[in-house]
Amino acid sequence: MDQQYYKDYYHLERKHWWFMARAEIISDQISQLGLPKDISILNVGAATFKSSEMLSQFGLVTSLEYDKDCCEFVTKSLNQEIINGSATELEFENDSFDLVCAFDVLEHIENDKLALEEIHRVTKPTGYIFLTVPAYNFLWSPHDVINHHYRRYNSASLRELNSIIEKKSEILKVSFFNSILFPVIYISRKLSNFFHDKSKPIKSDCEKFNGDGVFNSILRNIFSFEKYLLRLTTLPFGVSMLLIEKKKDDN
């Protein structure tokens, strides 16, 4: 893929309201776990490395990305170490990491169950798994198509997916998020589906709303406010979902 794409995505991860607010929410949720300092972390699907930068405040991060071109961009342009590999074949020993994260990754993987099994395998006993995924199939739009999603999730499907490891782990939190903006995004997606001109290239939501200006700042502040709500409760609906669980110690 054109290196310009990764340059654009690099700035998107660092400037766009959705990426910035999501990072704040994820960081806050990890902080609530009360983990010791300098833990070992695996970031599955690191993309252009912003999520790994965020995770580095909590410990030593190993970054993994499936897209080879993206890995080359991170290595050459950012001078950061990243491993080119697949979530369904993690090349790490059993029980290797204190925290394993996959932020909006599983929807890109056809065999998401195998990916979750691998994530669980490399997590240490009493270690943590943190997942985020897009919610609701009725929100499916050109955004999902251009981002090569296989599916979106709901409470039932996410719990069904997690059932393959549920006896070996304890769910600490399952919640929707990006809830305040849900009505706006729902309407936007429905209009996008209805008015999409099939003769023109499809665009993701991020291309429609770039990472500049006052509007971007307003949306970021609205979305990131949910970190305070998520400290207190779970949210009953939203554009995304998160799942945090702790691997049981079999000994």
Side-chain angles (χ1 to χ4, degrees):
M1 192 174 286
D2 191 333
Q3 288 294 297
Q4 184 60 43
Y5 171 84
Y6 296 110
K7 291 180 182 179
D8 294 341
Y9 197 83
Y10 169 86
H11 292 292
L12 199 65
E13 278 202 299
R14 289 155 177 80
K15 298 292 184 180
H16 191 276
W17 65 270
W18 183 84
F19 284 100
M20 296 175 75
R22 185 190 67 159
E24 289 184 48
I25 289 170
I26 290 171
S27 176
D28 191 71
Q29 285 293 299
I30 295 174
S31 296
Q32 302 305 307
L33 296 175
L35 302 176
K37 294 182 178 180
D38 301 324
I39 60 172
S40 56
I41 304 170
L42 175 62
N43 186 21
V44 179
T48 59
F49 216 73
K50 179 57 180 176
S51 55
S52 290
E53 292 174 359
M54 178 272 293
L55 288 169
S56 67
Q57 67 184 294
F58 300 105
L60 179 63
V61 182
T62 299
S63 303
L64 182 134
E65 170 58 42
Y66 179 75
D67 190 301
K68 184 177 180 181
D69 292 333
C70 186
C71 290
E72 290 181 358
F73 170 79
V74 170
T75 301
K76 294 179 181 179
S77 301
L78 308 182
N79 195 30
Q80 297 286 355
E81 184 176 349
I82 189 168
I83 298 169
N84 180 214
S86 171
T88 58
E89 296 180 276
L90 295 175
E91 297 183 1
F92 305 104
E93 299 292 331
N94 295 349
D95 308 331
S96 294
F97 298 95
D98 298 299
L99 172 64
V100 181
C101 303
F103 304 134
D104 291 272
V105 172
L106 293 180
E107 67 272 15
H108 297 274
I109 302 172
E110 186 171 9
N111 192 342
D112 56 348
K113 291 184 178 180
L114 179 56
L116 183 55
E117 287 177 335
E118 279 289 274
I119 286 170
H120 183 271
R121 179 183 64 79
V122 302
T123 304
K124 291 181 181 180
T126 71
Y128 296 83
I129 296 170
F130 195 145
L131 310 174
T132 65
V133 293
Y136 297 129
N137 282 327
F138 62 73
L139 288 178
W140 190 271
S141 73
H143 174 81
D144 297 281
V145 176
I146 198 169
N147 283 288
H148 306 290
H149 291 175
Y150 282 96
R151 69 194 73 81
R152 301 178 70 90
Y153 296 81
N154 57 31
S155 295
S157 62
L158 187 57
R159 287 185 180 274
E160 180 184 359
L161 169 65
N162 198 64
S163 67
I164 62 174
I165 62 168
E166 65 180 359
K167 293 182 179 180
K168 306 173 185 177
S169 62
E170 174 192 2
I171 294 178
L172 303 180
K173 190 161 198 169
V174 179
S175 179
F176 289 92
F177 66 113
N178 200 356
S179 302
I180 299 172
L181 293 169
F182 180 85
V184 175
I185 295 172
Y186 173 80
I187 293 170
S188 174
R189 294 280 177 92
K190 291 302 179 183
L191 291 175
S192 176
N193 289 342
F194 185 78
F195 290 108
H196 174 60
D197 185 347
K198 294 183 179 179
S199 66
K200 295 182 179 180
I202 58 177
K203 292 184 178 181
S204 72
D205 290 353
C206 295
E207 289 179 280
K208 297 173 188 174
F209 304 102
N210 62 35
D212 297 311
V214 175
F215 189 57
N216 187 73
S217 179
I218 292 172
L219 292 175
R220 175 192 175 183
N221 289 333
I222 293 172
F223 184 11
S224 64
F225 176 76
E226 293 184 10
K227 68 185 178 184
Y228 302 111
L229 301 178
L230 287 165
R231 289 179 188 176
L232 304 172
T233 187
T234 58
L235 303 178
F237 62 88
V239 183
S240 299
M241 295 189 71
L242 63 83
L243 183 150
I244 305 172
E245 57 192 318
K246 186 175 184 179
K247 185 173 177 178
K248 293 179 180 178
D249 189 349
D250 294 331
N251 296 327

